[in-house]
Amino acid sequence: MAETLADKISQMYEKEIEPYMTGPVPWEGLAGKTILVVGANGVIGAAIVRLLLHRNRCQAGGMRILAVSRSRERFMECFAGQYEKGELFYYSMDISEKVQLPERADYVICAAGDGDPASFAVHPVEVMRTNLAGLDHLLCYSRQCGCGRVLYLSSGEIYGQSVEGKIFDETFCGYVDHAKARSCYPAAKRAAEVLCQSWIQEYGADIVIARPCHIFGPDLKAADSRAVAQFLFQAACGRELVMKSDGRQQRSMCYSFDCAEALLMILLFGKRGEAYNIAGKEQVVSIRQLAEMIADAGKVGFRIETPTQSEKSSYNPVEKSILDWHKLYALGWRPRKSIREGIHSTLEIMKERVG
């Protein structure tokens, strides 16, 4: 039987994921567990699901994986045919309206929440609603069904504007302009973290929080307006990269499967009620350097173009967003891939996807 494109892409993912089956994650702690992943279509949620699936199939992990997202169609694009294999169960649901599931989960991972800057300008109400009402609905489900630990994915954007030279450790809290709709995302993430602490205080919930830096990987969507997503898809299609700023902004970056491994470490080892940055010590880059790396890997050129006023309104105003790594490193995690290596791995799969 001839190999299909889906088969080829699946094999590429398996090759990419296999090294993560050995290392710091104590997989035996997840054996036989039911794990709920909300936001399973996103770049982070999909990476988590792929790691869990691969563990089941290659190492007899025996996990039941419950995947929730709003779009069944996009889920099928990510995991074509895999949901039928008796280990991955999909539920189409908008958690901002309700959470109804027929079974209890041992672990709940909330990776839902639209991080696309274009949505901040067009749908700021929905962005806030998913992060607040959605999280509350999920915590209600968890309490009613007697679920185990909840891992909430916040964001490095909660830190707001930096002090000159400041690296963001988990105790820092900078300025966010509440008079701008663009703040819907960092403000909602901040409020959601307070909601987690409130559930811990009032109901004794077991919740731990992760704050990922800027994440990239092969499950990014072409419609994602974030600079790294647009650069990668332009390069995968063989097109010149268009950078709509001077590129001096500095960011901590992390490859999606490194991020997923970090999240499993936080899920199993993190202290109740505490937050953990997800970032690597050496993984800091300017937007211009990122564009140059991607252009080089994709063998394409890049140019700078003046952004429209509408595009500017959705930009992250923080010039320097570098997350402290010490607390996560103390759990035993280290990134496996450099930014450059992650770019090459991402483009290899993306090129097949865009064909």
Side-chain angles (χ1 to χ4, degrees):
M1 184 180 295
E3 182 184 58
T4 67
L5 178 59
D7 291 334
K8 183 177 181 180
I9 293 173
S10 180
Q11 290 169 12
M12 294 173 75
Y13 271 112
E14 288 174 6
K15 180 181 177 182
E16 189 66 19
I17 292 169
E18 179 59 32
Y20 293 90
M21 296 300 100
T22 57
V25 176
W27 286 102
E28 62 278 4
L30 297 173
K33 302 295 186 182
T34 296
I35 303 165
L36 170 61
V37 181
V38 181
N41 286 347
V43 63
I44 298 176
I48 297 168
V49 172
R50 291 189 192 281
L51 286 188
L52 299 176
L53 277 175
H54 191 80
R55 182 69 185 184
N56 267 1
R57 291 168 189 179
C58 299
Q59 305 289 337
M63 293 172 281
R64 285 174 59 82
I65 306 159
L66 313 181
V68 168
S69 73
R70 284 182 292 187
S71 173
R72 179 179 293 274
E73 180 181 358
R74 277 181 289 192
F75 180 82
M76 290 301 300
E77 290 175 3
C78 273
F79 301 100
Q82 297 182 50
Y83 74 102
E84 298 173 345
K85 297 184 184 280
E87 58 198 350
L88 177 59
F89 303 87
Y90 176 72
Y91 300 93
S92 179
M93 193 181 309
D94 183 347
I95 66 168
S96 68
E97 297 179 356
K98 63 180 179 180
V99 173
Q100 289 183 339
L101 292 166
E103 58 184 299
R104 169 190 176 275
D106 296 293
Y107 293 108
V108 176
I109 301 174
C110 182
D114 192 348
D116 183 352
S119 295
F120 305 163
V122 180
H123 301 295
V125 174
E126 287 75 12
V127 169
M128 295 201 75
R129 186 177 290 144
T130 297
N131 278 287
L132 291 174
L135 175 60
D136 193 52
H137 292 155
L138 193 60
L139 292 173
C140 286
Y141 151 77
S142 179
R143 182 169 184 247
Q144 290 166 1
C145 295
C147 297
R149 165 163 282 191
V150 175
L151 169 60
Y152 176 64
L153 271 67
S154 182
S155 168
E157 283 210 33
I158 67 109
Y159 292 114
Q161 294 281 11
S162 63
V163 178
E164 185 64 33
K166 173 71 175 179
I167 294 177
F168 298 147
D169 65 29
E170 287 82 355
T171 66
F172 180 78
C173 188
Y175 172 73
V176 171
D177 186 354
H178 294 159
K180 292 184 178 178
R182 169 59 179 79
S183 298
C184 63
Y185 186 69
K189 289 295 187 182
R190 284 185 172 187
E193 286 200 23
V194 176
L195 182 61
C196 288
Q197 299 298 344
S198 300
W199 269 82
I200 292 170
Q201 175 72 23
E202 187 167 346
Y203 300 114
D206 183 7
I207 306 171
V208 66
I209 298 164
R211 296 173 181 165
C213 63
H214 292 257
I215 308 300
F216 68 96
D219 286 299
L220 282 168
K221 306 298 185 290
D224 192 327
S225 68
R226 283 173 284 199
V228 64
Q230 290 303 302
F231 291 163
L232 286 164
F233 273 99
Q234 288 164 5
C237 294
R239 296 196 297 262
E240 181 182 47
L241 272 60
V242 179
M243 187 171 68
K244 297 195 175 186
S245 73
D246 59 14
R248 67 183 177 183
Q249 304 94 332
Q250 290 182 302
R251 301 286 184 258
S252 290
M253 304 290 298
C254 187
Y255 183 53
S256 59
F257 291 110
D258 283 346
C259 176
E261 185 175 56
L263 287 166
L264 295 179
M265 294 287 288
I266 295 168
L267 178 70
L268 293 169
F269 292 137
K271 292 184 179 179
R272 174 174 170 264
E274 295 198 9
Y276 295 80
N277 288 338
I278 297 180
K281 180 179 180 181
E282 309 295 336
Q283 295 181 311
V284 178
V285 68
S286 72
I287 300 301
R288 185 181 182 104
Q289 289 171 328
L290 180 68
E292 290 171 344
M293 287 182 185
I294 295 173
D296 179 65
K299 296 180 171 55
V300 297
F302 83 95
R303 61 186 167 85
I304 297 175
E305 185 177 284
T306 302
T308 65
Q309 195 59 42
S310 175
E311 288 169 331
K312 281 184 177 180
S313 70
S314 67
Y315 286 2
N316 184 343
V318 179
E319 288 289 323
K320 188 173 182 179
S321 181
I322 302 173
L323 274 58
D324 188 274
W325 58 89
H326 288 90
K327 195 170 178 181
L328 180 59
Y329 275 35
L331 296 184
W333 177 86
R334 301 290 186 279
R336 295 174 184 258
K337 288 185 182 288
S338 66
I339 295 173
R340 194 176 297 274
E341 289 168 338
I343 287 169
H344 279 275
S345 296
T346 297
L347 284 178
E348 187 178 11
I349 296 175
M350 272 190 175
K351 286 178 179 179
E352 293 296 332
R353 285 174 51 197
V354 301

